[in-house]
Amino acid sequence: MASADSERPRRAAPRADGEQRERAPSRRRPAPRRAKAVDAGSAMSSAAEQLAKLLGRPPESVSSLRPTDSGWEAQVEVVELERIPDTTSVLASYKVALDEEGALISFERTRRYSRGMIDRPF
């Protein structure tokens, strides 16, 4: 049976010439890998696809996309009510928040308008 002292790791004693022995490589676990942040194109398509799944309507377009501290924010346009002629269809603009990996965090309808409506300066 071995004594407790023989199992204890020993420190390297300084050499007479002032050099120390090399340390053994540390046994630390590698840091967990962070998921890769998505690029703008992937964020845009991810916002449109995930919103379409939730609303059950295909997106018309992504009108804006901008990076944030926690991921991405997009404005996605969706046809809410199709009418004839097309210019009278009702569209909605949704603000979609994505995390750094492109997963949808939240969405909010910010505006409803008819397709033929033109934004005017204030």
Side-chain angles (χ1 to χ4, degrees), residues 47-63:
E49 288 171 12
Q50 293 180 68
L51 186 63
K53 285 180 184 176
L54 291 170
L55 297 178
R57 299 181 190 109
E60 184 76 10
S61 66
V62 176
S63 58

Side-chain angles (χ1 to χ4, degrees), residues 77 85-93 110-122:
E77 311 304 315
D86 249 1
T87 55
T88 61
S89 293
V90 177
L91 281 85
S93 183
T110 57
R111 170 181 154 194
R112 280 183 87 170
Y113 58 97
S114 59
R115 187 186 295 274
M117 191 171 99
I118 298 172
D119 286 336
R120 295 193 175 131
F122 296 104

Side-chain angles (χ1 to χ4, degrees), residues 74-91:
Q75 287 288 333
V76 181
E77 311 304 315
V78 177
V79 176
E80 295 225 328
L81 181 60
E82 289 188 50
R83 291 186 174 161
I84 299 174
D86 249 1
T87 55
T88 61
S89 293
V90 177
L91 281 85

Side-chain angles (χ1 to χ4, degrees), residues 6-95:
S6 66
E7 293 180 18
R8 184 180 300 164
R10 297 183 183 194
R11 293 186 181 177
R15 293 184 176 185
D17 59 355
E19 291 183 26
Q20 290 187 351
R21 293 183 191 175
E22 291 183 27
R23 289 186 172 183
S26 89
R27 295 185 185 187
R28 291 184 185 174
R29 293 182 185 173
R33 292 185 181 182
R34 288 181 49 175
K36 291 184 179 179
V38 297
D39 62 352
S42 298
M44 189 179 333
S45 61
S46 180
E49 288 171 12
Q50 293 180 68
L51 186 63
K53 285 180 184 176
L54 291 170
L55 297 178
R57 299 181 190 109
E60 184 76 10
S61 66
V62 176
S63 58
S64 73
L65 179 71
R66 68 178 186 91
T68 63
D69 292 338
S70 60
W72 294 91
E73 186 176 283
Q75 287 288 333
V76 181
E77 311 304 315
V78 177
V79 176
E80 295 225 328
L81 181 60
E82 289 188 50
R83 291 186 174 161
I84 299 174
D86 249 1
T87 55
T88 61
S89 293
V90 177
L91 281 85
S93 183
Y94 286 86
K95 180 168 76 170

Side-chain angles (χ1 to χ4, degrees), residues 99-117:
D99 65 11
E100 292 175 343
E101 299 160 12
L104 190 137
I105 298 172
S106 67
F107 72 96
E108 169 186 12
R109 184 171 65 193
T110 57
R111 170 181 154 194
R112 280 183 87 170
Y113 58 97
S114 59
R115 187 186 295 274
M117 191 171 99

